[in-house]
Amino acid sequence: MSSPVEKEAGSTEPVKDTDNPSSPTEEPVKRKREYKDFGHEEEKATHAKVDMSEIQLRAEDLYDKEKVDLETIVVEDVFKLLQCDENGLSAEEATRRLELFGPNRLEAEEQNAFLQFLSFMWNPLSWVMEGAALVAIVLSNGEGQPPDWEDFVGIVTLLLINSFIGFYEERNAGNAVKALMDSLAPKAKVKRAGQWKEIESAELVPGDMVSFKIGDIVPADCRLTEAINVSIDQAALTGESLPQSKKNGDQCFSGSTCKQGEAEGVVISTGANTFFGRAASLVGQDDDTTGHLQKILAQIGSFCLISIGIFVIAEIFCLYAGFRYNYRRGLNDILVLLIGGIPIAMPTVLSVTLAVGAQQLAKYKAIVTRITAIEELAAVTILCSDKTGTLTTNKLTIDRETVRTYGPFTAEDVILLAAYASRTENQDAIDACVVGALGDTSRARAGIKLLDFKPFNPVDKRTEITYREESSGRLKRVTKGMTGIIIELCTRNKTDEIENRLEADVEEFAVRGLRALAVAYEELDHDDHEGEGNGFELIGLLPIFDPPRTDTKQTIDDAILLGVRVKMVTGDQLAIAKETGRRLGLGDHMYPAKVLKDGPEPGGKHGSLDEMILDADGFAGVFPEHKYEIVKRLQGLGHLVAMTGDGANDAPALSRANVGIAVEGATDAARGAADIVLTEPGLSTIVHAIRGSRIIFQRMRNYSIYACAVTIRIVVCFAILAFAFKFDFPPFMVLIIALLNDGTIMTLSVDRVLPSNTPDSWDLAEIFSYAVAYGLYLTLSTIALVAICIKTDFFYRKFGVTFHGGATMATDHNDPQLHSIVYLQVAIISQALIFVTRSHGFFFMERPSFALMGAFCIAQLVSTIIAVYADWGFTQIEGISGGWVGIVWVWDIIWFVPLDWIKFAMKATIIKSLRERHNAAKAQAAKSESTGVPVTRTQSRAASVHESLYSNRVSFIRRAARKVGFGSKISMKPEELQRFSSMQAQHAGATLARNPSRTAAA
């Protein structure tokens, strides 16, 4: 049995009383009962609002929905508008239209791999790295000294590693548009000049006559001109649970599958203009390369860049204008700030952290196709979920607890008898559901001998079985089907009381989104199985629905506890959506999709559409454009949105969302558009993924504070040392510090941290505040040590240690042993800082991972060995004694202890103030929304600059590709977001106006 179940029209003829022959032949006509069997409301066909006598094949008429809607107008007008007939187009006209409308396929842009790789060097962090490399290899070449090859090679190596990781990640991401295109039918049966033939589906044009049968994929959007028992599965496009019955005049979508019957139709749209094509264009429309993490990295990079810039300018004026340094000496000091100031490996460290996190999520059967989505998942505040196949099983089930009975049979008896009246082979969805309810499907034919079976057909709208009961030998008959049809057959117990009960039950089912299936039974008092029985008796009403997955409710509850709000966004009917929401505890405060166009009712509780979307528990009857619009508006309200789905109809929203999640069993299109693909049934993996992503987020936040603090500590420290003591630290040793630091920090990817119970967010004001406080404190520790070494002989008097040549004081401010001492002191305490930034309390209260602790110990051992044994002339360092090593270690331990107290002091003062201001701003925004006052969210100038620095990466690729001849012109059109926009109609109309149809009527 197919769905939707259509309303019974009924008859208004007089009723003859067969039980009382003496009664009058005619009685007053009874009220016609309307049984609201669940199904789609049918829209009556309309006529085109254009002058059909002067119509030409012009897009401004053809695709202007104010004048005509090819999906709903009468088929006769479709033929007139498309200037075709049932004999099909001529070969010449088909060729002409193919040139005008383009091929019936989706176009995707191919990026040049080399340019894509280069694009990862196009951001502020990379620019500073590249600038430092140029300074080392070009500007440092002078005054009889060779270029600084050591620094150049080290910087370029890190830059290439970072770019390769980003390139590898993006190159391996799925191409959603390609997956959508691949699922289109490659061949189509078309009538040209009265003859049927098979052609490539890409050659179809509007006006073609096509045919398809069971198992075929519909090759283009079409209107049916002939339909024989046709049922179309379009769940992957519209989200509807069941295959849909189609009749003459109905529309079939490109990419849907014919499950029953055969049909002929006229093509009304092809390629990007089809329902399927519009979904594909939405997937490719937005440039998601400017991800959330990239924007954060841009702002952190800008912070480091500004810090470096300030002190580089100060050094230029002070060292050259004030101290009269020669060119090369001053340049080495500037190079120290460039190399040490920028967190050179930040993108690499964060990429490794995310990659390791992706491997950890894979243990929970979640495959991450875009690793930066992990960071965004940690900050997600709203989860928009498709219903069919995501929240539910996409498998119809009988709700046993709601079965209604009207006779002597129990609910189990009714289900068994309904199973008798069902096919056991080649089943449709309804028959499979009823037979499956038995548990043991063999019971559907056990104990009976099948004599006659009438399968479902669109005319009778019911099935019927006549059988012999083997235990008694009696003939019996059972029928099941549409309520209005079945009750008319029930002559034995069709009383007003029964009809009233039935009408009330059907009404209740419809309100709850349950499909009603009536069951009737009769016995035959003879042995002729084709003869009439003693009259049907209504025995039961079966409620059929698509049940939620067993773990869905728990998953939703867990998500809510984590501070993530769940909204249902489904293509199914409103009543079904509300019932599913009630069963899952989501709520039933849901709206039909038309409110997205019409907006809230005047005088209602919602002052704006945005407010309505934010308040709703879900939306029903949505198309891909609606899902996309909902996600986009929620993002505009400042939320990070995750979207789950399984079909091609979900692909646009999956692509638009901050985190797209394709559930188990999803189509290739959905998997290609998603950032995370689940390989196990159910949504419980999402909760694991959210928790895992928040652990990963904490690791990245800890590193960001550390990296920014090291930037401040290096830049401020060595600039002040240069200003105060003319101290010239070797640039190569700064690079060694950076390499050892970043090698240690890589182990943060497996560090022990606790996830937060609320969505995470990058509060850069907090990060920078901590960084400045830590950085200035560590700067002070180094300056104090250098000042004591230069100004006093304290260490010689107390510990007997000397400098180069046995000096008791570093009278030579650039003593090579002093360089080694400063190197060791900076290396030790800079790495030790991570133990403070990774903990919320005292550093010793939160045990680090063995990997982090081991890496720290190894790095410090290497740093100590370098300080003791490295006599590298080009670095201007000289090995120091064991006494100095002990002094530096004790010095750093003494300075390390107060770092925790600085953290607590910051939390109690500056950080507390920042959070209070942030919460006050949020409360004010919420108050404004609740009172209906529109809240305008504007982006700061700085944030806009940060975003543009990253977003121009894509424009850089495209401009370069066109100039050097790589790749093809971009084919995605922003106007494809709307179904047939005025811009598209104007463009296509202008083209067609220059090429009027040769077949137009004179």
Side-chain angles (χ1 to χ4, degrees):
M1 180 175 179
S2 297
S3 176
V5 181
E6 299 176 2
K7 293 182 178 179
E8 167 67 5
S11 172
T12 57
E13 293 181 1
V15 179
K16 183 177 180 180
D17 189 349
T18 57
D19 294 334
N20 186 2
S22 62
S23 66
T25 303
E26 294 185 359
E27 293 181 355
V29 177
K30 297 176 63 176
R31 176 180 66 88
K32 178 61 186 174
R33 297 176 184 271
E34 293 290 341
Y35 294 97
K36 296 184 179 180
D37 295 273
F38 189 83
H40 293 278
E41 295 182 2
E42 295 184 4
E43 295 183 2
K44 294 183 179 180
T46 59
H47 287 276
K49 299 177 182 178
V50 292
D51 189 346
M52 302 298 286
S53 63
E54 299 181 0
I55 187 64
Q56 291 188 6
L57 190 62
R58 300 194 311 168
E60 53 259 44
D61 289 334
L62 197 63
Y63 292 153
D64 187 348
K65 292 198 72 173
E66 295 299 321
K67 298 178 181 178
V68 58
D69 186 350
L70 288 172
E71 299 177 2
T72 59
I73 62 174
V74 294
V75 176
E76 291 77 10
D77 283 2
V78 173
F79 280 109
K80 290 180 181 178
L81 283 165
L82 296 176
Q83 299 171 20
C84 60
D85 55 41
E86 294 191 355
N87 289 321
L89 303 172
S90 66
E92 295 78 10
E93 178 64 12
T95 301
R96 190 187 77 87
R97 295 193 185 194
L98 185 63
E99 294 175 356
L100 298 180
F101 291 97
N104 180 37
R105 62 168 178 256
L106 308 179
E107 297 183 15
E109 176 191 4
E110 289 293 332
Q111 288 188 347
N112 176 263
F114 178 68
L115 290 175
Q116 189 178 2
F117 176 78
L118 290 181
S119 72
F120 285 94
M121 302 182 190
W122 190 257
N123 60 71
L125 292 176
S126 295
W127 292 338
V128 178
M129 294 164 67
E130 292 152 10
L134 288 175
V135 169
I137 195 66
V138 177
L139 299 182
S140 295
N141 188 10
E143 298 183 351
Q145 298 182 45
D148 192 348
W149 287 103
E150 296 83 3
D151 290 334
F152 174 77
V153 171
I155 295 169
V156 170
T157 299
L158 284 174
L159 181 64
L160 292 176
I161 290 174
N162 171 59
S163 298
F164 176 77
I165 290 175
F167 168 77
Y168 181 80
E169 168 209 332
E170 186 170 289
R171 198 68 182 172
N172 284 317
N175 189 326
V177 176
K178 183 177 184 299
L180 283 166
M181 180 176 63
D182 289 344
S183 63
L184 285 173
K187 297 286 186 180
K189 190 175 182 181
V190 63
K191 183 184 284 188
R192 294 275 172 85
Q195 300 293 322
W196 287 102
K197 61 180 181 178
E198 190 174 68
I199 64 171
E200 296 288 336
S201 64
E203 298 176 13
L204 288 177
V205 294
D208 265 331
M209 293 297 299
V210 294
S211 73
F212 50 86
K213 61 184 183 302
I214 183 171
D216 290 345
I217 296 177
V218 180
D221 283 7
C222 60
R223 293 286 298 279
L224 299 185
T225 57
E226 182 177 340
I228 304 174
N229 199 20
V230 173
S231 177
I232 302 292
D233 180 4
Q234 51 194 38
L237 293 173
T238 65
E240 294 163 308
S241 308
L242 282 173
Q244 303 297 306
S245 297
K246 298 291 183 180
K247 60 183 185 301
N248 287 358
D250 284 350
Q251 182 188 19
C252 290
F253 294 128
S254 169
S256 55
T257 305
C258 181
K259 289 293 187 181
Q260 186 176 334
E262 53 185 85
E264 295 180 11
V266 56
V267 174
I268 60 173
S269 53
T270 58
N273 289 329
T274 62
F275 184 95
F276 196 88
R278 294 193 300 274
S281 69
L282 292 178
V283 171
Q285 178 185 340
D286 278 285
D287 172 21
D288 61 355
T289 53
T290 312
H292 186 252
L293 181 61
Q294 282 80 1
K295 296 174 186 177
I296 298 301
L297 280 175
Q299 295 184 60
I300 293 175
S302 298
F303 171 81
C304 298
L305 193 62
I306 292 170
S307 302
I308 295 169
I310 291 172
F311 285 93
V312 164
I313 292 172
E315 281 200 345
I316 290 174
F317 281 103
C318 183
L319 302 186
Y320 288 118
F323 297 159
R324 303 296 179 180
Y325 271 20
N326 61 43
Y327 172 74
R328 184 63 182 264
R329 182 181 179 186
L331 200 60
N332 283 341
D333 283 337
I334 292 173
L335 199 58
V336 167
L337 304 192
L338 291 177
I339 297 175
I342 196 70
I344 294 178
M346 175 176 274
T348 305
V349 171
L350 296 186
S351 294
V352 170
T353 302
L354 291 170
V356 172
Q359 294 175 359
Q360 293 170 340
L361 290 181
K363 297 177 182 177
Y364 296 109
K365 307 300 182 183
I367 299 173
V368 181
T369 61
R370 181 175 66 89
I371 63 173
T372 54
I374 298 174
E375 175 267 339
E376 295 179 38
L377 183 60
V380 161
T381 54
I382 293 178
L383 172 62
C384 292
S385 176
D386 178 48
K387 179 190 73 70
T388 307
T390 307
L391 297 176
T392 63
T393 61
N394 196 18
K395 183 178 180 182
L396 293 184
T397 303
I398 292 176
D399 188 2
R400 293 175 177 273
E401 297 180 359
T402 319
V403 173
R404 299 287 189 265
T405 58
Y406 305 94
F409 296 98
T410 66
E412 292 299 321
D413 294 333
V414 172
I415 294 174
L416 178 61
L417 291 172
Y420 288 169
S422 304
R423 278 183 168 177
T424 56
E425 297 178 355
N426 300 321
Q427 299 168 312
D428 60 25
I430 296 292
D431 285 349
C433 157
V434 174
V435 174
L438 295 177
D440 181 4
T441 56
S442 63
R443 292 178 58 202
R445 291 295 180 266
I448 66 171
K449 181 179 180 182
L450 175 63
L451 301 176
D452 183 52
F453 186 86
K454 296 178 180 177
F456 173 86
N457 66 76
V459 178
D460 295 331
K461 296 182 174 62
R462 66 186 181 94
T463 63
E464 181 182 286
I465 184 174
T466 304
Y467 63 92
R468 185 183 300 277
E469 191 176 59
E470 293 179 351
S471 60
S472 64
R474 302 193 61 177
L475 296 185
K476 299 182 179 182
R477 186 174 289 149
V478 179
T479 184
K480 75 176 193 327
M482 178 187 154
T483 310
I485 296 291
I486 299 299
I487 191 62
E488 291 300 320
L489 298 175
C490 297
T491 57
R492 287 179 63 84
N493 68 339
K494 191 173 76 170
T495 64
D496 283 343
E497 179 186 357
I498 291 293
E499 287 194 87
N500 289 336
R501 282 180 55 196
L502 179 64
E503 189 174 26
D505 290 339
V506 172
E507 176 72 24
E508 179 191 348
F509 283 9
V511 169
R512 295 180 56 185
L514 303 174
R515 303 170 191 268
L517 187 67
V519 184
Y521 163 88
E522 73 172 352
E523 296 184 356
L524 283 70
D525 297 330
H526 47 76
D527 285 336
D528 181 10
H529 68 270
E530 294 181 352
E532 293 187 2
N534 59 4
F536 277 107
E537 173 185 358
L538 180 68
I539 62 171
L541 194 68
L542 300 180
I544 298 177
F545 75 115
D546 181 12
R549 294 181 183 270
T550 55
D551 65 341
T552 300
K553 188 177 189 309
Q554 184 62 48
T555 298
I556 291 174
D557 291 343
D558 291 344
I560 293 173
L561 288 175
L562 290 172
V564 179
R565 186 174 176 187
V566 183
K567 294 180 183 290
M568 182 193 302
V569 184
T570 177
D572 225 326
Q573 297 298 302
L574 182 60
I576 293 179
K578 287 187 173 184
E579 176 66 11
T580 304
R582 284 190 288 265
R583 289 174 182 262
L584 293 174
L586 261 179
D588 57 1
H589 189 200
M590 301 183 185
Y591 299 97
K594 65 179 182 179
V595 302
L596 297 173
K597 178 180 179 181
D598 301 339
E601 295 181 1
K605 60 180 286 191
H606 300 119
S608 66
L609 179 58
D610 285 346
E611 186 180 341
M612 174 181 282
I613 291 175
L614 192 60
D615 182 55
D617 295 322
F619 292 89
V622 298
F623 282 167
E625 293 92 333
H626 300 135
K627 295 184 179 184
Y628 182 94
E629 183 70 14
I630 290 169
V631 171
K632 186 175 181 180
R633 283 184 175 271
L634 288 172
Q635 290 173 326
L637 291 171
H639 290 277
L640 263 68
V641 182
M643 171 77 194
T644 69
D646 67 335
N649 63 315
D650 300 317
L654 290 174
S655 177
R656 172 72 201 194
N658 300 93
V659 183
I661 304 171
V663 298
E664 188 268 342
T667 62
D668 287 342
R671 288 196 295 267
D675 305 304
I676 298 175
V677 179
L678 308 185
T679 59
E680 266 191 356
L683 298 180
S684 59
T685 303
I686 294 179
V687 175
H688 292 301
I690 291 174
R691 289 197 181 100
S693 68
R694 291 184 183 178
I695 290 174
I696 296 163
F697 181 91
Q698 290 298 319
R699 293 167 180 162
M700 293 193 297
R701 178 183 176 275
N702 296 341
Y703 171 72
S704 298
I705 295 175
Y706 166 80
C708 292
V710 169
T711 292
I712 295 295
R713 110 58 106 247
I714 296 292
V715 171
V716 177
C717 175
F718 289 112
I720 291 177
L721 288 177
F723 299 156
F725 305 112
K726 297 185 180 180
F727 181 81
D728 305 323
F729 193 70
F732 187 78
M733 299 313 296
V734 172
L735 185 59
I736 294 294
I737 291 173
L739 287 170
L740 289 174
N741 283 356
D742 292 327
T744 301
I745 298 305
M746 290 285 183
T747 59
L748 274 181
S749 60
V750 293
D751 190 25
R752 292 187 181 92
V753 293
L754 296 175
S756 61
N757 291 323
T758 56
D760 288 309
S761 62
W762 286 97
D763 193 331
L764 293 179
E766 282 191 21
I767 290 175
F768 296 153
S769 298
Y770 278 124
V772 170
Y774 294 145
L776 292 179
Y777 177 79
L778 296 184
T779 294
L780 186 60
S781 73
T782 305
I783 292 176
L785 177 63
V786 173
I788 293 173
C789 290
I790 290 176
K791 298 294 186 181
T792 73
D793 61 353
F794 173 79
F795 293 116
Y796 170 74
R797 287 186 289 105
K798 295 295 182 180
F799 307 104
V801 292
T802 61
F803 295 94
H804 179 70
T808 59
M809 297 170 55
T811 51
D812 178 4
H813 294 185
N814 287 298
D815 186 298
Q817 289 197 9
L818 181 59
H819 285 165
S820 294
I821 292 169
V822 172
Y823 158 75
L824 183 60
Q825 190 273 334
V826 171
I828 293 172
I829 200 165
S830 294
Q831 281 199 16
L833 176 64
I834 190 59
F835 296 108
V836 175
T837 62
R838 65 172 294 279
S839 61
H840 296 282
F842 288 104
F843 76 93
F844 53 82
M845 298 296 291
E846 298 180 29
R847 183 165 61 92
S849 66
F850 290 113
L852 177 58
M853 197 66 203
F856 173 78
C857 293
I858 293 172
Q860 298 318 309
L861 177 62
V862 172
S863 296
T864 303
I865 291 173
I866 290 175
V868 173
Y869 296 105
D871 290 321
W872 300 333
F874 69 91
T875 61
Q876 299 176 348
I877 67 170
E878 184 178 299
I880 58 177
S881 65
W884 274 118
V885 171
I887 290 171
V888 171
W889 270 96
V890 172
W891 179 270
D892 279 347
I893 291 172
I894 293 172
W895 281 84
F896 175 80
V897 173
L899 279 170
D900 274 330
W901 295 103
I902 293 176
K903 175 171 60 182
F904 299 147
M906 289 290 295
K907 284 183 179 179
T909 55
I910 296 175
I911 303 303
K912 181 181 178 181
S913 175
L914 289 172
R915 289 179 178 175
E916 287 175 350
R917 289 173 56 187
H918 179 69
N919 292 335
K922 286 177 63 178
Q924 181 61 38
K927 182 179 179 181
S928 300
E929 290 177 5
S930 64
T931 56
V933 179
V935 179
T936 304
R937 291 174 173 81
T938 57
Q939 201 174 28
S940 68
R941 184 180 300 274
S944 300
V945 171
H946 295 145
E947 183 171 342
S948 67
L949 290 176
Y950 268 98
S951 62
N952 65 14
R953 181 172 76 83
V954 175
S955 59
F956 158 73
I957 297 177
R958 293 174 175 171
R959 288 196 305 270
R962 286 194 286 270
K963 287 185 177 180
V964 301
F966 289 134
S968 58
K969 190 175 180 180
I970 310 311
S971 61
M972 288 302 172
K973 304 179 182 65
E975 60 268 23
E976 288 175 356
L977 174 59
Q978 300 299 328
R979 184 178 175 280
F980 292 114
S981 70
S982 58
M983 185 185 302
Q984 184 179 4
Q986 182 179 3
H987 174 73
T991 302
L992 290 170
R994 294 192 295 269
N995 300 272
S997 174
R998 298 169 189 165
T999 61

